[in-house]
Amino acid sequence: MPLTDLFSRTISYLRLSLTDRCNLRCMYCVTEEESTGCLTKLKHDELLTYEELLRVVRVAVAMGITKVRLTGGEPLVRRDVMSFIRALTRIEGLSDVRLTTNGILLERFGQELFDAGVTKVNISLDSLHPERVEQITGVNCFHQVWRGIESVLALGFTPVKLNMVVMRHINDDELLDFARLSQNMSIQVRFIEFMPIGESTRWSADTFISTDEIMDRIRVMGDLTPLRKDRSDGPAQVYRLGEKSVGSLGFISPLSHHFCNRCNRLRLTSAGTLRSCLLHDAEVDLRKVLRSDSDDAAIREALLEAIRNKPQGHRLAERMHRSGSDCHGRMSRIGG
Ligand code: SAM
């Protein structure tokens, strides 16, 4: 029996924020003060242990979860992450384990990830100019990330997806350069609408660019032909640019064409809370359940409670003309 919510959506996808720590300080994740000073982080014992995470995933898989994505923060900075990932991919019934990473440690971990069975990676990269990457992330890391991308392509990861958050006046002059990558490389370049998330957001109606505008601007390079979506495309609408591209373009429109009616996700934040919508602050405290000597039935009940709480939609578009955000969590804690 598939796991369904109150609106008949099948819930089959669990995103785990392994840690709120990150080796970058991206401008949309931290506040201006934090970009130069101290970041508030969870204490070590506030994170779920690997044993606790594995236990939750085992229960969730028995209930109908088939796909897990590791995110954060930066998942690859958590100590001994590979032994956790190896144990995770061995869980019976879990056929699909993926990773979202900033790519800095991919060159180092690529082979081990591949051998463990994680062959689908999304890499975040918001600019192809090294100085601009440094401005956006606070770290001079472009070349390291690029080597990471090349190494996973050489290892045979598929699909490899490159996520660009499109921000007006910040990186939108690079739309065509990113689109061009899909013509020559076997990757899916994904353009993500900038969302107003958390206290730290630099989001404004002015920096926001809709998918329709992004597509119109890219069409000067050639036709965009819709491709049939496959299971790994998630909420992206996928196109091929021109006739001969080896890769594809994905467009993710959480604001302009939201996909709440198809949302199959549940999140486990790095603080051990279950969250059924990225943009809705309601959470169920699973860490408390895990640390109260409960049996697996209590974990199951917590997962069901979170699924029952899953809102029908996020109403983000209605907030477009208000400043601030109704989603107050930090993206790195929630798991982007
Ligand atoms: N460290 C990993 C990484 O960089 O991919 C995983 C965590 S990061 C928070 C996950 C994704 O969320 C990144 O692709 C990032 O660009 C995206 N993201 C963060 N804040 C965003 C926002 N306000 N709007 C749209 N995407 C956002």
Side-chain angles (χ1 to χ4, degrees):
M1 267 279 280
L3 195 54
T4 50
D5 72 359
L6 298 181
F7 304 98
S8 306
R9 293 171 296 201
T10 299
I11 309 300
S12 55
Y13 179 13
L14 179 64
R15 294 172 73 101
L16 300 180
S17 174
L18 280 193
T19 174
D20 62 336
R21 284 162 203 254
C22 189
N23 38 6
L24 297 182
R25 292 189 175 201
C26 295
M27 52 177 290
Y28 40 69
C29 245
V30 301
T31 59
E32 260 174 290
E33 303 80 69
E34 286 169 333
S35 64
T36 48
C38 224
L39 269 183
T40 1
K41 296 182 199 118
L42 291 168
K43 293 199 214 72
H44 190 66
D45 65 353
E46 290 175 310
L47 296 178
L48 295 189
T49 63
Y50 288 149
E51 290 70 30
E52 288 169 330
L53 285 166
L54 291 169
R55 185 173 172 211
V56 174
V57 176
R58 273 189 211 101
V59 172
V61 167
M63 292 169 74
I65 294 291
T66 54
K67 167 171 154 187
V68 168
R69 178 175 296 282
L70 305 176
T71 178
E74 173 50 42
L76 296 180
V77 301
R78 185 156 171 185
R79 184 175 300 180
D80 209 13
V81 68
M82 279 315 309
S83 44
F84 166 69
I85 293 176
R86 278 190 288 271
L88 184 71
T89 53
R90 281 199 295 266
I91 290 179
E92 209 170 309
L94 178 61
S95 50
D96 192 347
V97 177
R98 305 172 182 203
L99 176 76
T100 295
T101 172
N102 58 35
I104 293 186
L105 293 168
L106 261 189
E107 202 182 7
R108 167 156 153 221
F109 284 118
Q111 183 72 59
E112 283 182 83
L113 286 164
F114 193 83
D115 293 344
V118 181
T119 55
K120 301 180 179 79
V121 284
N122 290 5
I123 302 149
S124 308
L125 186 65
D126 299 324
S127 170
L128 300 171
H129 299 302
E131 324 75 57
R132 188 177 278 172
V133 170
E134 185 169 355
Q135 275 160 20
I136 294 174
T137 66
V139 177
N140 176 5
C141 61
F142 172 79
H143 295 289
Q144 208 170 338
V145 174
W146 195 258
R147 284 199 304 276
I149 294 168
E150 288 179 331
S151 73
V152 290
L153 283 170
L155 283 163
F157 279 75
T158 180
V160 174
K161 296 179 185 169
L162 216 60
N163 288 343
M164 175 202 197
V165 178
V166 184
M167 298 169 281
R168 197 184 304 281
H169 308 310
I170 296 176
N171 61 358
D172 64 316
D173 56 338
E174 296 187 55
L175 287 175
L176 304 190
D177 294 334
F178 269 91
R180 200 165 291 118
L181 290 178
S182 78
Q183 296 185 302
N184 310 314
M185 294 172 78
S186 184
I187 53 175
Q188 184 178 108
V189 176
R190 307 203 310 170
F191 301 97
I192 303 179
E193 286 180 350
F194 191 19
M195 294 178 279
I197 293 177
E199 315 287 355
S200 47
T201 189
R202 313 273 173 99
W203 188 92
S204 70
D206 186 42
T207 39
F208 171 76
I209 306 191
S210 70
T211 288
D212 290 349
E213 179 180 337
I214 297 169
M215 290 178 79
D216 279 348
R217 287 169 63 174
I218 290 174
R219 280 198 185 92
V220 299
M221 296 174 70
D223 290 338
L224 288 171
T225 311
L227 298 180
R228 202 138 58 104
K229 279 164 78 76
D230 74 31
R231 266 194 80 223
S232 80
D233 289 327
Q237 299 300 326
V238 185
Y239 294 80
R240 190 183 61 228
L241 173 60
E243 289 297 311
K244 297 195 187 119
S245 292
V246 279
S248 59
L249 300 179
F251 298 88
I252 303 186
S253 326
L255 274 91
S256 66
H257 301 286
H258 72 76
F259 33 84
C260 302
N261 59 340
R262 287 179 282 122
C263 183
N264 59 352
R265 301 163 176 206
L266 188 62
R267 289 181 152 80
L268 181 53
T269 72
S270 51
T273 54
L274 287 166
R275 186 171 174 116
S276 50
C277 172
L278 170 63
L279 298 153
H280 198 273
D281 280 337
E283 293 181 354
V284 173
D285 190 350
L286 186 59
R287 187 177 66 206
K288 198 159 139 201
V289 176
L290 285 162
R291 296 187 183 170
S292 62
D293 268 346
S294 307
D295 57 11
D296 286 356
I299 300 173
R300 232 179 344 265
E301 184 43 45
L303 286 158
L304 289 174
E305 187 187 342
I307 291 169
R308 277 196 299 271
N309 290 345
K310 192 170 171 68
Q312 190 169 16
H314 61 50
R315 304 220 179 111
L316 208 53
E318 294 165 23
R319 298 179 205 154
M320 279 281 282
H321 303 292
R322 285 198 263 136
S323 58
S325 162
D326 287 359
C327 160
H328 297 101
R330 184 190 283 283
M331 190 67 148
S332 55
R333 190 189 72 91
I334 302 171

